[in-house]
């Protein structure tokens, strides 16, 4: 894997629409929320990076240097990776989907974005079936609601039925079960917005294309800690609920490979964005300590599952061979940024910034925008707005920790006051 120098500013770049007129940073949730540029080897400048979605020279240079992935790659006896054919600045080489099992019926993790070019690849990967009289796939697990993971549900279900009919004629067809961690409408997150296209996609599938759960819904609900086995029992894996990127994000532990499928929580290149920082950090810590000696009590509820892992199978990018080290790096980066924000909040607001922001004479009252102006003062101003999104998430976490008080205002004009020092963050 190629290792890049990490620019302190580029860590906070994320694919967000910027609407400065209403002082609001609105996530572009119809696409993937990945921080592609975090490990970019080139410095920020107005020619290579622009706010919003347009990334020209920087994106091209990055894509030329990251590891090229094959369309279909056998990672182990138990796992085959199939590329979603949707490369881009928010999806890296594309969305990784995974076939799990040593023989059919397999378990499929995610369905990619729904590109027509993905379906022949999936069909090709399924040609290695050992028993034509059995279905190709018994279960489809969805890692979270983002479109590049669920968009292929209708076309994948159609393919599976077609493959069965082509080789077995009128014999009864057993469709797959669909699984997903439930996302409550009461929980805050992008899943409650118009960017969640999953309900529309589910309306496109017919009732005979999947096995209905007892609840009468489409999905069989996943549960944290749940153990799932392939139909022949050759492969077993465990579900971890890891919210933060989204409220319904999960990871899957594959003990046969000593690998953790991390979906979008940890990527194969760069770092990921998230909806809630405190929740995201908690999930990273959960992943970091999963199966470690200090958490050996997990084994008592795992039966024959060895919880130790080495590698990560991400939903975007190449396999990560130093799994725990990478997760630890993710956590340390966020804690370093938090400490940087706190260091500024402990200082007095410069007089010129107080005058410009019209927050009065109180030197302890910081706006989000003034924090950005201080922290990113050495970077071009057209990059400050996307940086404000990351700072805002850190401020909200510190508020929930009891360290900050929100003193009014919205968006980049939100006002904050340090009220008590937070406990020293640690892994």
């Amino acid at each position: 894997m190629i290792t890049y120098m990490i620019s302190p500013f580029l860590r906070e770049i994320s694919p967000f629409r910027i609407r400065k007129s209403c002082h609001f940073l609105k996530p572009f949730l119809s696409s993937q929320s990945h921080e592609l540029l975090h490990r970019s080897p080139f410095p920020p400048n107005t020619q290579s990076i622009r706010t919003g979605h347009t990334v020209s020279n920087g994106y091209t240079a990055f894509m030329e240097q990251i590891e090229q992935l094959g369309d279909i790659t056998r990672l182990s006896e138990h796992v085959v990776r199939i590329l979603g054919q949707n490369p881009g600045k928010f999806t890296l080489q594309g969305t990784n989907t995974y076939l799990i099992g040593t023989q059919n019926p397999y378990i499929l993790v995610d369905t990619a974005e729904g590109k027509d070019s993905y379906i022949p690849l999936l069909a090709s990967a399924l040609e290695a079936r050992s028993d034509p009289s059995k279905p190709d796939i018994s279960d489809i697990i969805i890692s979270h609601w983002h479109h590049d993971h669920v968009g292929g549900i209708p076309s994948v279900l159609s393919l599976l039925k077609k493959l069965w009919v082509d080789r077995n004629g009128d014999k009864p067809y057993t469709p797959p079960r669909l699984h997903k961690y439930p996302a409550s409408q009461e929980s805050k997150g992008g899943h409650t917005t118009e960017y969640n296209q999953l309900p529309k996609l589910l309306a496109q599938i017919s009732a005979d294309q999947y096995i209905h759960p007892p609840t009468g819904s489409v999905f069989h609900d996943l549960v944290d800690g749940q153990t799932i086995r392939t139909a022949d029992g050759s492969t077993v894996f465990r579900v971890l609920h890891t919210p933060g990127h989204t409220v319904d994000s999960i990871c899957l532990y594959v003990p046969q490979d000593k690998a953790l499928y991390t979906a979008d929580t940890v990527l194969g290149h760069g770092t990921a964005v998230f909806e809630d920082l405190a929740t995201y950090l908690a999930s990273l810590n959960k992943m970091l300590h999963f199966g470690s000696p200090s958490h050996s009590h997990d084994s008592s509820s795992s039966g024959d599952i060895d919880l130790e892992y080495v590698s990560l199978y991400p939903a975007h990018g190449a396999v990560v061979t130093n799994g725990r080290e990478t997760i630890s790096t993710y956590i340390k980066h966020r804690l370093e940024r938090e400490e940087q924000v706190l260091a500024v909040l402990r200082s007095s607001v410069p007089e010129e910034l107080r005058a410009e922001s019209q927050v009065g004479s109180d030197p302890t009252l910081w706006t989000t925008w003034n924090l950005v102006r201080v922290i990113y003062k050495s970077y071009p101003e057209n990059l400050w707005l996307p940086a404000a999104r990351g700072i805002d998430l850190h401020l909200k976490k510190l508020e929930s920790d009891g360290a900050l008080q929100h003193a009014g205002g919205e968006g980049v004009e939100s006002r904050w006051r340090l009220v008590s020092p937070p406990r020293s963050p640690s892994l």
Side-chain angles (χ1 to χ4, degrees):
M1 180 184 300
I2 300 173
T3 302
Y4 297 104
M5 296 294 291
I6 305 177
S7 163
F9 175 79
L10 292 177
R11 287 172 171 171
E12 301 301 336
I13 294 288
S14 54
F16 279 72
R17 294 189 192 274
I18 306 302
R19 296 175 60 189
K20 187 173 181 180
S21 59
C22 61
H23 300 106
F24 184 70
L25 306 180
K26 187 173 184 179
F28 184 57
L29 295 173
S30 60
S31 186
Q32 252 332 100
S33 302
H34 304 313
E35 297 177 293
L36 168 65
L37 297 179
H38 282 188
R39 294 180 183 267
S40 172
F42 40 83
N45 59 70
T46 55
Q47 284 72 45
S48 63
I49 300 174
R50 286 184 282 168
T51 56
H53 297 142
T54 303
V55 181
S56 54
N57 298 343
Y59 165 65
T60 302
F62 182 85
M63 291 302 291
E64 287 176 350
Q65 295 183 60
I66 62 175
E67 180 178 341
Q68 297 301 303
L69 302 182
D71 288 336
I72 302 175
T73 306
R74 176 165 289 282
L75 302 179
S76 72
E77 179 185 357
H78 300 269
V79 178
V80 172
R81 182 183 64 208
I82 308 168
L83 206 53
Q85 306 306 297
N86 57 330
K89 53 184 173 288
F90 307 138
T91 55
L92 303 178
Q93 298 96 328
T95 304
N96 297 329
T97 67
Y98 294 87
L99 276 180
I100 297 180
T102 58
Q103 61 186 46
N104 69 299
Y106 302 101
I107 293 176
L108 176 67
V109 179
D110 283 339
T111 62
E113 189 173 311
K115 297 290 186 182
D116 291 341
S117 52
Y118 172 74
I119 294 303
L121 293 176
L122 178 59
S124 177
L126 293 171
E127 287 178 357
R129 67 183 68 86
S130 57
D131 190 344
S133 67
K134 294 180 179 179
D136 291 303
I137 291 174
S138 62
D139 299 85
I140 298 174
I141 295 178
I142 299 299
S143 65
H144 62 291
W145 65 267
H146 280 165
H147 184 68
D148 67 309
H149 298 259
V150 304
I153 290 177
S155 57
V156 167
L157 292 178
S158 296
L159 169 68
L160 296 179
K161 186 171 184 179
K162 179 181 183 301
L163 292 175
W164 174 265
V165 171
D166 286 349
R167 68 177 186 271
N168 289 298
D170 295 331
K171 292 182 179 179
Y173 169 57
T174 302
R177 291 175 288 265
L178 298 173
H179 305 263
K180 181 181 167 296
Y181 195 92
S184 170
Q185 291 300 302
E186 285 70 45
S187 301
K188 293 182 180 180
H191 65 289
T192 63
T193 71
E194 70 274 17
Y195 297 109
N196 186 356
Q197 300 179 42
L198 186 55
K200 294 180 181 178
L201 289 167
L202 298 181
Q204 299 174 22
I205 61 179
S206 59
D208 63 345
Q209 289 183 309
Y210 62 96
I211 294 178
H212 296 245
T215 59
S217 62
V218 176
F219 290 108
H220 295 253
D221 288 347
L222 295 174
V223 178
D224 185 44
Q226 178 180 355
T227 299
I228 300 176
R229 294 179 183 271
T230 53
D232 67 341
S234 63
T235 308
V236 58
F237 53 98
R238 183 171 173 176
V239 177
L240 283 76
H241 181 216
T242 50
H245 177 70
T246 61
V247 298
D248 58 342
S249 290
I250 63 163
C251 292
L252 298 170
Y253 175 59
V254 186
Q256 290 84 355
D257 288 12
K258 290 191 177 296
L260 191 65
Y261 165 74
T262 57
D264 287 1
T265 301
V266 176
L267 307 180
H269 311 282
T271 57
V273 296
F274 40 85
E275 293 182 338
D276 182 272
L277 178 55
T279 304
Y280 181 66
L281 281 171
S283 290
L284 288 175
N285 272 285
K286 178 179 181 178
M287 295 160 63
L288 177 67
H289 297 294
F290 177 78
S292 64
S294 61
H295 289 64
S296 58
H297 63 273
D298 288 343
S299 301
S300 62
S301 61
S302 305
D304 58 349
I305 299 180
D306 176 6
L307 298 179
E308 184 63 39
Y309 70 88
V310 176
S311 302
L312 307 179
Y313 292 163
H316 300 270
V319 173
V320 178
T321 57
N322 55 340
R324 293 188 195 276
E325 180 182 339
T326 297
I327 294 173
S328 178
T329 299
Y330 267 54
I331 297 171
K332 288 177 180 177
H333 161 53
R334 288 300 159 194
L335 298 183
E336 288 169 359
R337 178 65 74 215
E338 178 176 300
E339 184 54 41
Q340 188 178 19
V341 171
L342 284 169
V344 176
L345 286 166
R346 293 187 188 104
S347 64
S348 297
V349 183
E351 185 176 345
E352 64 272 17
L353 293 185
R354 294 203 305 269
E356 292 179 18
S357 57
Q358 299 179 341
V359 294
S361 58
D362 189 343
T364 68
L365 202 59
W366 284 89
T367 65
T368 301
W369 191 242
N370 281 345
L371 284 164
V372 171
R373 292 179 69 181
V374 171
I375 294 172
Y376 296 104
K377 62 182 178 181
S378 61
Y379 293 89
E381 291 187 22
N382 67 327
L383 300 178
W384 290 357
L385 272 173
R389 185 263 181 188
I391 296 300
D392 180 66
L393 288 171
H394 277 279
L395 292 169
K396 289 178 178 177
K397 174 188 176 294
L398 289 167
E399 180 188 24
S400 67
D401 291 343
L404 296 186
Q405 178 186 52
H406 182 244
E410 296 181 358
V412 295
E413 298 304 330
S414 292
R415 298 185 292 276
W416 305 92
R417 179 181 286 109
L418 187 66
V419 292
S420 65
R423 290 176 295 177
S424 298
S426 67
L427 298 181

